[in-house]
Amino acid sequence: MKIKQILLMLFFWAVGFHTVAQGDYPGSQAYNKTHLSHDSVNAATGTFDYSYPLISVKGRLSTFQLHLSYRFNKDGMFSLPSGWQLDLDFIKEKSVYLHGQNWLIDRLWRDETDFGSGLRYYNLHGTKFSDDGEAREVPNHKGVFYRYRANHKDGSIKYFSHQGLIVIEKDRFGNFIQFDYEEPISSLRTARLKTLTDNYGNQYRFDYVPGGFNLTTPDNKKIHVYFNKNGVEAIANALGQRTEFKYVNFAGRNLLRTIETPKGLITQISYDTISYSDGNGKKQMPVVALLEKMD
Protein backbone atom coordinates (compact mmCIF):
# COMPACT_ATOMS: atom_id res chain seq x y z
CA MET A 1 0.00 0.00 0.00
CA LYS A 2 1.27 3.48 -0.80
CA ILE A 3 -0.14 6.58 0.86
CA LYS A 4 0.67 10.02 -0.45
CA GLN A 5 0.24 13.09 1.71
CA ILE A 6 0.63 15.88 -0.78
CA LEU A 7 1.80 19.20 0.52
CA LEU A 8 2.53 20.95 -2.78
CA MET A 9 2.81 24.72 -2.72
CA LEU A 10 2.62 24.58 1.05
CA PHE A 11 3.31 28.22 1.68
CA PHE A 12 0.58 29.37 -0.68
CA TRP A 13 -2.00 27.13 0.99
CA ALA A 14 -0.99 27.86 4.58
CA VAL A 15 -3.44 30.73 5.10
CA GLY A 16 -6.49 28.61 4.36
CA PHE A 17 -5.19 25.09 4.87
CA HIS A 18 -3.82 24.26 8.29
CA THR A 19 -3.67 20.46 8.23
CA VAL A 20 -0.25 18.94 8.86
CA ALA A 21 0.86 15.50 7.83
CA GLN A 22 1.94 13.96 11.09
CA GLY A 23 2.73 10.66 12.70
CA ASP A 24 2.46 7.27 11.08
CA TYR A 25 -0.39 6.51 8.72
CA PRO A 26 -3.04 4.88 11.02
CA GLY A 27 -4.11 2.33 8.40
CA SER A 28 -0.64 0.96 7.88
CA GLN A 29 0.09 -2.51 9.27
CA ALA A 30 3.58 -1.28 10.07
CA TYR A 31 1.94 1.17 12.49
CA ASN A 32 0.88 -1.77 14.65
CA LYS A 33 4.45 -3.00 15.07
CA THR A 34 5.76 -0.81 17.89
CA HIS A 35 7.02 2.19 15.98
CA LEU A 36 7.05 5.07 18.45
CA SER A 37 8.77 7.83 16.51
CA HIS A 38 6.86 10.83 15.22
CA ASP A 39 7.10 13.08 12.18
CA SER A 40 5.22 16.12 10.93
CA VAL A 41 5.32 18.92 8.40
CA ASN A 42 4.80 22.44 9.68
CA ALA A 43 2.21 24.05 7.39
CA ALA A 44 3.37 27.53 8.36
CA THR A 45 7.06 27.01 7.56
CA GLY A 46 7.27 23.98 5.26
CA THR A 47 9.84 22.30 7.53
CA PHE A 48 9.96 18.58 8.20
CA ASP A 49 10.20 17.60 11.88
CA TYR A 50 11.06 14.15 13.20
CA SER A 51 11.60 12.81 16.73
CA TYR A 52 12.74 9.45 18.10
CA PRO A 53 12.13 8.66 21.80
CA LEU A 54 15.27 7.78 23.76
CA ILE A 55 14.20 8.07 27.41
CA SER A 56 10.89 8.07 29.29
CA VAL A 57 10.86 8.68 33.06
CA LYS A 58 7.45 8.57 34.73
CA GLY A 59 6.93 11.13 37.52
CA ARG A 60 4.13 11.85 39.95
CA LEU A 61 2.76 14.77 37.91
CA SER A 62 4.02 14.01 34.43
CA THR A 63 6.37 11.87 32.37
CA PHE A 64 9.74 13.25 31.32
CA GLN A 65 10.70 12.22 27.81
CA LEU A 66 13.90 12.83 25.91
CA HIS A 67 13.87 12.60 22.12
CA LEU A 68 16.47 12.75 19.41
CA SER A 69 14.92 15.25 17.02
CA TYR A 70 15.51 16.59 13.50
CA ARG A 71 14.56 19.81 11.77
CA PHE A 72 16.49 20.74 8.63
CA ASN A 73 16.66 24.48 9.32
CA LYS A 74 18.30 23.98 12.74
CA ASP A 75 21.95 23.86 13.65
CA GLY A 76 23.18 20.68 15.28
CA MET A 77 23.13 20.87 19.08
CA PHE A 78 24.69 18.85 21.91
CA SER A 79 27.49 17.51 19.69
CA LEU A 80 25.04 16.10 17.15
CA PRO A 81 25.18 16.50 13.33
CA SER A 82 23.56 19.46 11.58
CA GLY A 83 19.77 19.45 11.91
CA TRP A 84 19.80 17.06 14.90
CA GLN A 85 19.55 17.74 18.62
CA LEU A 86 18.36 16.34 21.92
CA ASP A 87 15.09 18.09 22.72
CA LEU A 88 16.31 19.45 26.05
CA ASP A 89 15.19 22.89 27.19
CA PHE A 90 18.03 25.43 26.97
CA ILE A 91 18.87 29.14 26.85
CA LYS A 92 20.74 30.59 23.89
CA GLU A 93 21.73 34.24 23.72
CA LYS A 94 18.52 36.19 24.46
CA SER A 95 15.98 33.42 23.99
CA VAL A 96 14.70 30.41 25.93
CA TYR A 97 13.74 27.07 24.38
CA LEU A 98 10.85 25.68 26.49
CA HIS A 99 8.45 22.85 25.63
CA GLY A 100 9.65 22.82 22.01
CA GLN A 101 9.19 26.56 21.44
CA ASN A 102 11.47 29.60 21.50
CA TRP A 103 10.67 32.65 23.63
CA LEU A 104 12.51 35.97 23.78
CA ILE A 105 13.72 36.95 27.25
CA ASP A 106 12.07 40.26 28.18
CA ARG A 107 11.61 41.05 31.86
CA LEU A 108 9.72 44.27 31.03
CA TRP A 109 7.01 42.71 28.85
CA ARG A 110 3.45 42.71 30.22
CA ASP A 111 0.16 41.38 28.84
CA GLU A 112 -3.15 43.27 28.92
CA THR A 113 -3.67 42.27 32.57
CA ASP A 114 -0.19 43.58 33.51
CA PHE A 115 1.13 40.05 34.02
CA GLY A 116 4.78 39.54 33.14
CA SER A 117 6.30 36.09 32.70
CA GLY A 118 9.79 37.37 31.87
CA LEU A 119 9.31 36.04 28.32
CA ARG A 120 7.80 38.15 25.56
CA TYR A 121 4.25 37.03 24.60
CA TYR A 122 4.38 34.08 27.02
CA ASN A 123 1.27 34.88 29.04
CA LEU A 124 0.55 31.62 30.83
CA HIS A 125 -0.23 33.08 34.24
CA GLY A 126 1.64 31.42 37.08
CA THR A 127 4.76 30.93 34.97
CA LYS A 128 7.83 33.07 35.64
CA PHE A 129 11.28 33.09 34.04
CA SER A 130 14.02 34.67 36.14
CA ASP A 131 17.67 35.60 35.69
CA ASP A 132 19.25 35.58 39.14
CA GLY A 133 22.34 37.29 37.78
CA GLU A 134 24.96 35.12 39.45
CA ALA A 135 25.64 31.45 40.12
CA ARG A 136 23.60 30.06 43.01
CA GLU A 137 23.34 26.57 44.42
CA VAL A 138 20.15 24.71 43.57
CA PRO A 139 18.24 24.19 46.85
CA ASN A 140 18.85 20.67 48.26
CA HIS A 141 21.36 19.89 45.49
CA LYS A 142 24.83 20.48 46.85
CA GLY A 143 27.38 21.35 44.20
CA VAL A 144 24.81 22.01 41.45
CA PHE A 145 24.71 25.68 40.44
CA TYR A 146 22.27 27.68 38.34
CA ARG A 147 21.74 31.21 37.08
CA TYR A 148 18.32 31.01 35.40
CA ARG A 149 15.10 29.34 36.49
CA ALA A 150 11.65 28.81 35.05
CA ASN A 151 8.87 28.44 37.62
CA HIS A 152 5.72 26.84 36.22
CA LYS A 153 2.09 27.03 37.25
CA ASP A 154 2.02 23.41 38.47
CA GLY A 155 4.81 24.14 40.96
CA SER A 156 7.60 22.59 38.92
CA ILE A 157 10.90 24.43 38.45
CA LYS A 158 13.60 24.16 35.81
CA TYR A 159 17.11 25.37 36.67
CA PHE A 160 19.64 26.41 34.02
CA SER A 161 23.40 26.98 34.30
CA HIS A 162 25.09 30.22 33.28
CA GLN A 163 25.90 28.52 29.94
CA GLY A 164 22.16 27.99 29.36
CA LEU A 165 22.11 24.23 29.99
CA ILE A 166 19.30 22.69 32.02
CA VAL A 167 20.76 21.14 35.19
CA ILE A 168 17.74 20.27 37.37
CA GLU A 169 14.04 19.75 36.65
CA LYS A 170 11.85 19.11 39.69
CA ASP A 171 8.15 18.99 40.56
CA ARG A 172 6.41 20.46 43.60
CA PHE A 173 6.76 17.18 45.51
CA GLY A 174 10.54 17.27 45.26
CA ASN A 175 10.88 14.59 42.58
CA PHE A 176 13.68 15.62 40.22
CA ILE A 177 15.85 14.79 37.25
CA GLN A 178 19.45 15.96 37.26
CA PHE A 179 21.41 16.57 34.05
CA ASP A 180 25.21 16.35 34.09
CA TYR A 181 27.48 17.27 31.20
CA GLU A 182 31.03 16.48 30.17
CA GLU A 183 33.55 19.17 31.06
CA PRO A 184 34.72 21.53 29.77
CA ILE A 185 31.60 23.10 28.27
CA SER A 186 32.44 25.63 25.56
CA SER A 187 29.06 26.03 23.84
CA LEU A 188 25.60 24.56 23.44
CA ARG A 189 26.70 23.35 20.03
CA THR A 190 29.40 21.11 21.46
CA ALA A 191 27.99 20.35 24.93
CA ARG A 192 27.68 16.65 25.71
CA LEU A 193 25.05 15.28 28.07
CA LYS A 194 26.86 12.75 30.27
CA THR A 195 24.22 11.40 32.65
CA LEU A 196 20.57 11.85 33.48
CA THR A 197 19.68 10.81 37.05
CA ASP A 198 16.31 10.79 38.84
CA ASN A 199 15.62 11.16 42.58
CA TYR A 200 15.57 7.36 43.02
CA GLY A 201 19.14 7.09 41.73
CA ASN A 202 18.18 5.61 38.36
CA GLN A 203 20.78 6.77 35.87
CA TYR A 204 20.97 6.97 32.08
CA ARG A 205 24.53 7.22 30.76
CA PHE A 206 25.74 8.66 27.44
CA ASP A 207 29.05 7.36 26.10
CA TYR A 208 30.46 9.15 23.05
CA VAL A 209 32.47 7.16 20.54
CA PRO A 210 33.82 7.99 17.07
CA GLY A 211 30.81 8.05 14.77
CA GLY A 212 28.05 8.28 17.36
CA PHE A 213 27.10 7.62 20.97
CA ASN A 214 25.70 4.84 23.14
CA LEU A 215 22.94 5.31 25.71
CA THR A 216 22.87 2.87 28.63
CA THR A 217 19.65 2.61 30.67
CA PRO A 218 19.40 1.87 34.43
CA ASP A 219 18.73 -1.83 33.65
CA ASN A 220 21.85 -1.94 31.45
CA LYS A 221 20.07 -1.97 28.10
CA LYS A 222 21.76 -0.05 25.30
CA ILE A 223 20.61 2.21 22.49
CA HIS A 224 23.16 2.97 19.77
CA VAL A 225 23.11 6.12 17.62
CA TYR A 226 25.35 6.11 14.52
CA PHE A 227 26.58 9.16 12.56
CA ASN A 228 27.97 9.49 9.07
CA LYS A 229 29.12 12.52 7.05
CA ASN A 230 25.50 13.43 6.23
CA GLY A 231 23.92 13.23 9.70
CA VAL A 232 22.45 10.55 11.95
CA GLU A 233 22.75 7.34 9.93
CA ALA A 234 20.84 4.93 12.18
CA ILE A 235 19.39 4.34 15.64
CA ALA A 236 19.45 0.81 17.05
CA ASN A 237 17.10 0.13 19.95
CA ALA A 238 17.79 -2.19 22.89
CA LEU A 239 16.72 -5.18 20.76
CA GLY A 240 19.14 -4.22 18.00
CA GLN A 241 16.37 -3.11 15.64
CA ARG A 242 17.55 -0.26 13.42
CA THR A 243 15.78 2.83 12.16
CA GLU A 244 17.81 4.10 9.20
CA PHE A 245 18.11 7.54 7.62
CA LYS A 246 19.24 8.65 4.15
CA TYR A 247 19.87 12.17 2.91
CA VAL A 248 19.83 14.23 -0.28
CA ASN A 249 21.79 17.36 -1.16
CA PHE A 250 19.24 19.98 -2.15
CA ALA A 251 19.45 23.78 -2.39
CA GLY A 252 22.91 23.67 -0.88
CA ARG A 253 21.82 21.70 2.19
CA ASN A 254 21.99 18.11 3.33
CA LEU A 255 18.34 17.18 3.91
CA LEU A 256 16.69 14.06 5.29
CA ARG A 257 15.30 12.07 2.36
CA THR A 258 14.10 8.68 3.71
CA ILE A 259 13.39 7.08 7.07
CA GLU A 260 13.00 3.30 7.27
CA THR A 261 11.79 1.66 10.48
CA PRO A 262 12.69 -1.89 11.61
CA LYS A 263 9.25 -3.12 10.50
CA GLY A 264 9.45 -1.76 7.00
CA LEU A 265 7.55 1.52 7.16
CA ILE A 266 9.31 3.96 4.82
CA THR A 267 8.84 7.72 4.96
CA GLN A 268 10.12 9.61 1.92
CA ILE A 269 10.40 13.40 1.76
CA SER A 270 10.70 15.43 -1.45
CA TYR A 271 11.58 19.12 -1.47
CA ASP A 272 10.98 22.28 -3.46
CA THR A 273 12.26 25.82 -2.97
CA ILE A 274 10.58 29.15 -2.32
CA SER A 275 12.05 32.61 -2.64
CA TYR A 276 12.48 35.08 0.18
CA SER A 277 14.30 38.36 0.70
CA ASP A 278 16.45 39.53 3.56
CA GLY A 279 18.89 42.40 4.00
CA ASN A 280 21.29 40.71 1.58
CA GLY A 281 18.79 40.34 -1.25
CA LYS A 282 16.68 37.55 -2.70
CA LYS A 283 17.40 33.96 -1.65
CA GLN A 284 16.00 30.43 -1.94
CA MET A 285 15.04 28.11 0.91
CA PRO A 286 13.89 24.48 0.82
CA VAL A 287 10.39 23.42 1.87
CA VAL A 288 8.63 20.07 1.85
CA ALA A 289 6.80 19.47 -1.43
CA LEU A 290 5.70 15.86 -0.99
CA LEU A 291 5.58 13.43 1.92
CA GLU A 292 5.06 9.74 1.14
CA LYS A 293 4.62 6.77 3.47
CA MET A 294 4.99 3.21 2.22
CA ASP A 295 4.80 -0.20 3.84
Side-chain angles (χ1 to χ4, degrees), residues 117-287:
S117 65
L119 303 174
R120 188 177 297 178
Y121 308 129
Y122 192 97
N123 62 350
L124 181 60
H125 290 213
T127 298
K128 181 70 174 178
F129 177 81
S130 304
D131 178 354
D132 289 327
E134 59 184 25
R136 302 185 181 188
E137 197 167 61
V138 177
N140 302 315
H141 292 273
K142 188 174 181 179
V144 180
F145 294 90
Y146 77 97
R147 173 177 170 176
Y148 309 95
R149 56 195 163 87
N151 294 67
H152 296 284
K153 188 176 182 179
D154 63 2
S156 63
I157 308 175
K158 295 179 180 180
Y159 295 91
F160 299 85
S161 70
H162 70 278
Q163 298 108 326
L165 295 166
I166 189 167
V167 292
I168 294 284
E169 180 175 336
K170 64 167 59 179
D171 65 22
R172 66 174 182 263
F173 301 106
N175 301 301
F176 67 86
I177 296 172
Q178 180 171 325
F179 306 85
D180 291 291
Y181 302 85
E182 290 187 356
E183 297 285 353
I185 300 169
S186 58
S187 70
L188 288 168
R189 173 70 186 85
T190 58
R192 288 181 168 183
L193 182 63
K194 181 171 64 175
T195 57
L196 186 154
T197 311
D198 69 15
N199 51 287
Y200 297 106
N202 297 312
Q203 188 172 89
Y204 296 82
R205 188 180 75 250
F206 291 76
D207 296 301
Y208 297 86
V209 296
F213 69 84
N214 302 319
L215 169 61
T216 304
T217 66
D219 56 355
N220 210 36
K221 294 178 180 176
K222 294 184 183 295
I223 297 171
H224 304 279
V225 179
Y226 302 95
F227 305 159
N228 61 21
K229 64 179 181 179
N230 298 313
V232 172
E233 177 184 21
I235 304 170
N237 66 17
L239 298 176
Q241 299 170 325
R242 289 169 60 101
T243 298
E244 299 189 343
F245 307 90
K246 291 184 172 61
Y247 299 81
V248 62
N249 190 285
F250 183 83
R253 302 191 191 189
N254 233 16
L255 305 178
L256 193 56
R257 171 60 170 160
T258 61
I259 304 168
E260 183 170 358
T261 73
K263 299 302 180 180
L265 177 63
I266 298 174
T267 299
Q268 185 165 287
I269 311 104
S270 300
Y271 299 93
D272 202 347
T273 58
I274 62 169
S275 299
Y276 71 99
S277 297
D278 62 13
N280 298 316
K282 193 173 182 180
K283 296 182 178 180
Q284 298 281 322
M285 66 176 289
V287 294

Side-chain angles (χ1 to χ4, degrees), residues 51-93:
S51 64
Y52 184 101
L54 295 176
I55 295 173
S56 181
V57 180
K58 187 172 180 57
R60 187 165 180 180
L61 288 178
S62 61
T63 299
F64 170 82
Q65 293 184 321
L66 180 66
H67 295 82
L68 184 61
S69 62
Y70 171 86
R71 180 179 293 176
F72 64 68
N73 65 346
K74 292 282 188 181
D75 293 331
M77 298 279 287
F78 302 107
S79 291
L80 295 176
S82 179
W84 291 89
Q85 68 178 56
L86 299 174
D87 62 348
L88 295 168
D89 293 340
F90 60 87
I91 299 167
K92 185 178 181 181
E93 298 173 352

